[in-house]
Every structure is written in C-alpha cells, then in structure tokens.
Amino acid sequence: FPSHDIDRVESLWLKHIKLCQDNFLYFVKEMWPDIIFRQEQDKSKWGHHQIIANEFTKIAKQKKGRLIINMPPRHTKSEFASVYYPAWIIGKFPKMKLMQVSHNAELAARFGSKVRNLVDSPQYKQIFGDVRLREDSKAKGRWETNHGGEYYAAGVGGSITGRGADLLIIDDPHTEQDILSDTAMEKAYEWYSSGPRQRLQPGGSILLVMTRWAEDDLTGRLIKAQTEVKADKWKLISFPAILPNGEPVWPEYWNLEELEKVNDEQKIGTPIGQGGWGTPNITPIMPLPYYPNPLDNPFKVTCSTGSFAPGFAVTTTPGYGSITYTPSTSTTYGYPSGSAWHYTNGGNEIKD
C-alpha cells in the first residue's frame, strides 16, 4: 500500500480509539457489536440507550455526580451500568476505586467477573492498552489494576469495612420480594447511609440504577431526603417500558404485544404514589429535561378513588422544574395539559 494510504488508515484508527476512550456509547459498540439500540443524530429523538450513555459520559467528567436512573427490567440496565460502564471508566481512570453494589453479594460478584474479563480481553487492550489486571489480584469480586485502581463488589448488608470509593454503582438494591417485607426497604436504606455512602472519597460520584417496586424504596427515600440541609441532590431520569404514545421505549428490541404480556404497573409505569385525597399517583413518563413543555405530557396523573386534592403539586428533582396540577372538575384521570396547571423551570413560568 502507498504510505499515504497507510497513514490515513492509521489516523482513522487512532480517531476511532480516541472516540471509544472519550465516549461511553462508542466504547460499548466496540466491545459489544451485537447491541441493538437507536442511532439517532437528533437529540430530541434519542433512544434511552443514547440518553443513558450521555449521562454516564458526563459523570466521568465531573465531581460529586449524583444520578438515579429508573427503568424496567430487560432494557440493558445492568449491562450498561454494572458491566460496560465500570470497564470503561476504570480504563479512563485506572487509579480509581470503584465499589459495585447489588441486592446480594453473588450477583455483585458476577458483575465483577464480567468487568474483569472485559478488562482482560484483547479488544479492551486495543482501547486502553496500558491498563491491565494485577497478576496477584484477579478474584471476580475483588481485583486491582496495574495502576493501583480497585474494584470491589458487595451485596446489600455486606461488610465493606476498610473500603473506599471514587465511584459507587448501585444496581437494583431491592428484589421483588422486598415489597413483602416491612423492614427490607428500611434496612437497605440504613445500610446505604451508614455503609457505602460513608465510604465515598472526596469528590466521589454515585450512580443508582434500579427498577422500582415500592414507593419507599431507595430511590424514593433518597429523593425525599434531598430536601434536607447538606443532603445529596440527585438528577433523576425515569424510563417506562411503554411511552404515553403507546410505543415501546425500546422498539428496536421489544414489540408492544410482548410488553403487554408483562403488564405489571410497576414495570410499565414505574409509579410513584402521592398520598392525599383519592390517593393520586404520579407516573413519570419522561424526565422534564427532555420534555420541557408541559403540553408534551411529562406526567400522567391518575386517581384511584374519589377526587384529587385541590392544587396538589408534582415536583421533580430541584433544577428540573415542577408542575402544580389542579383539575377543573372532580376526575379520576387527566394530564397536566387537561386542566389548570402552571409549570416553572429556571425562573420561567408558563401557564395554561
């Protein structure tokens, strides 16, 4: 081959490697060629993989990141958060101390094994060539890099004495059975507060990804606690399995008929109940940063019995706006655009 062709190929390859190092989704595509996801240039039309990958890339560039992602099962939650993301970020920051938590130690260790195998693979070495596993530290749930980075996996309730974390990843801290226990949610929150949260290094980040099974789960408790002085302030992104237009959030993989076979309200809508008159329930359909106009129905509001409390408020993460919804008549169903409402975000107020 002529030398200029060789130089061109080498230049393109180096650009590709740099993209994999700097952009999480590029890394995933390189390491997992068979992944099925939407590839949309228009940000307003991004699929949930693109939105999640963008947020994960942001965490790598910031200090004290606090991100919660709620999504249904079987939508690539754990593959992204607990397998590919730890491998990618420890390649970028090989001195990082990373703690992985799941609802039991066996599952957390299984994630650790998959991350370890990725880091030890030939494909990974093409992207992060100077990052390797230490020869004397390759246990599946506890290993180190040649730069001094550490990976440690733990189950909820397990011992983490002596461990620190620059990045704490929590993947499904609850099981479906936990909703049957009056104490399971409380114990998980207490363990998080007194254990992993206290092990966070200065400037460290926390990523929580989970399917919601109850109002007082870890997501619910963390969002409630953030109103306290000096509490962590979270960015919350929620994905339902079925969007308000009736289409799957991941139509490239799931069809509507299959999703409706698992027509469990928790999986499809991820409801967050609000006490009060008639027990209204607020189902986040898509986070406000991606649906800035209330007329796009960012929330579905339902009422199980009776009527809504007058003017009850629906509030999202601070900084992402809030909606006060006042039905014009007693009703059991409605959208914010269907009755009196006002929306505020960044000081700008829009009214019906």
Side-chain angles (χ1 to χ4, degrees):
F1 292 99
S3 60
H4 65 274
D5 287 342
I6 295 175
D7 290 343
R8 181 173 178 273
V9 170
E10 182 177 356
S11 176
L12 289 174
W13 174 249
L14 291 175
K15 288 180 179 178
H16 172 70
I17 293 301
K18 187 68 167 62
L19 281 172
C20 291
Q21 292 174 347
D22 292 343
N23 185 292
F24 173 63
L25 194 53
Y26 275 91
F27 171 79
V28 174
K29 288 193 292 183
E30 180 69 17
M31 300 298 294
W32 185 10
D34 295 331
I35 181 176
I36 300 171
F37 72 102
R38 193 175 313 165
Q39 301 186 49
E40 178 61 61
Q41 296 297 319
D42 185 347
K43 189 174 180 179
S44 67
K45 299 178 181 178
W46 275 3
H48 75 289
H49 293 101
Q50 292 176 290
I51 295 171
I52 292 171
N54 184 56
E55 294 298 332
F56 283 7
T57 301
K58 286 180 183 178
I59 286 184
K61 299 177 181 179
Q62 64 186 209
K63 299 289 187 180
K64 298 182 180 180
R66 300 290 185 270
L67 176 64
I68 298 174
I69 295 179
N70 296 154
M71 57 193 296
R74 311 304 301 164
H75 280 67
T76 331
K77 168 171 51 64
S78 293
E79 287 88 346
F80 262 40
S82 297
V83 179
Y84 289 95
Y85 189 59
W88 177 72
I89 202 165
I90 211 162
K92 289 181 65 66
F93 306 105
K95 296 181 179 180
M96 171 177 281
K97 298 180 186 299
L98 195 154
M99 185 179 294
Q100 172 79 51
V101 172
S102 192
H103 56 260
N104 65 58
E106 180 183 355
L107 180 58
R110 196 184 311 157
F111 289 145
S113 176
K114 291 181 178 181
V115 179
R116 178 199 62 188
N117 294 343
L118 276 178
V119 173
D120 211 25
S121 68
Q123 299 97 315
Y124 187 90
K125 290 178 172 61
Q126 289 185 319
I127 300 171
F128 298 109
D130 63 337
V131 180
R132 300 184 302 278
L133 298 174
R134 269 183 50 178
E135 290 299 327
D136 61 344
S137 180
K138 292 187 177 182
K140 63 181 181 179
R142 187 181 305 177
W143 46 264
E144 299 179 17
T145 71
N146 59 319
H147 293 267
E150 298 178 3
Y151 178 99
Y152 185 77
V156 170
S159 173
I160 54 172
T161 302
R163 300 287 170 177
D166 297 303
L167 175 62
L168 170 62
I169 299 175
I170 306 171
D171 184 348
D172 274 337
H174 310 295
T175 67
E176 296 175 50
Q177 289 71 36
D178 284 347
I179 63 174
L180 303 176
S181 170
D182 293 334
T183 60
M185 301 296 177
E186 180 65 28
K187 286 182 177 179
Y189 180 68
E190 288 180 356
W191 180 79
Y192 162 82
S193 301
S194 62
R197 180 60 186 86
Q198 298 304 316
R199 298 294 174 182
L200 203 65
Q201 304 276 75
S205 296
I206 308 173
L207 168 62
L208 169 61
V209 293
M210 60 180 288
T211 299
R212 301 204 62 184
W213 301 108
E215 297 175 24
D216 62 342
D217 59 13
L218 189 55
T219 289
R221 289 171 182 263
L222 292 176
I223 294 301
K224 182 178 179 180
Q226 72 179 354
T227 58
E228 300 172 5
V229 178
K230 297 184 179 180
D232 289 325
K233 310 302 180 186
W234 297 88
K235 182 171 186 178
L236 171 63
I237 299 178
S238 298
F239 297 100
I242 299 176
L243 295 169
N245 62 8
E247 295 296 320
V249 73
W250 190 10
E252 297 82 8
Y253 185 80
W254 285 101
N255 63 53
L256 189 60
E257 182 181 355
E258 289 176 314
L259 284 176
E260 288 177 337
K261 288 179 182 178
V262 287
N263 191 19
D264 182 308
E265 187 184 30
Q266 294 284 0
K267 295 177 181 178
I268 289 179
T270 317
I272 302 172
Q274 300 287 326
W277 295 22
T279 316
N281 295 293
I282 316 306
T283 302
I285 290 175
M286 193 62 76
L288 288 173
Y290 302 103
Y291 282 89
N293 188 339
L295 291 175
D296 289 327
N297 298 332
F299 290 91
K300 181 175 72 176
V301 184
T302 61
C303 184
S304 55
T305 59
S307 60
F308 290 105
F312 75 84
V314 181
T315 305
T316 64
T317 306
Y320 291 92
S322 64
I323 292 173
T324 300
Y325 177 70
T326 309
S328 54
T329 60
S330 295
T331 180
T332 58
Y333 180 83
Y335 284 98
S337 59
S339 297
W341 52 265
H342 75 269
Y343 169 77
T344 59
N345 190 5
N348 299 316
E349 183 168 314
I350 311 169
K351 297 184 177 180
D352 63 337

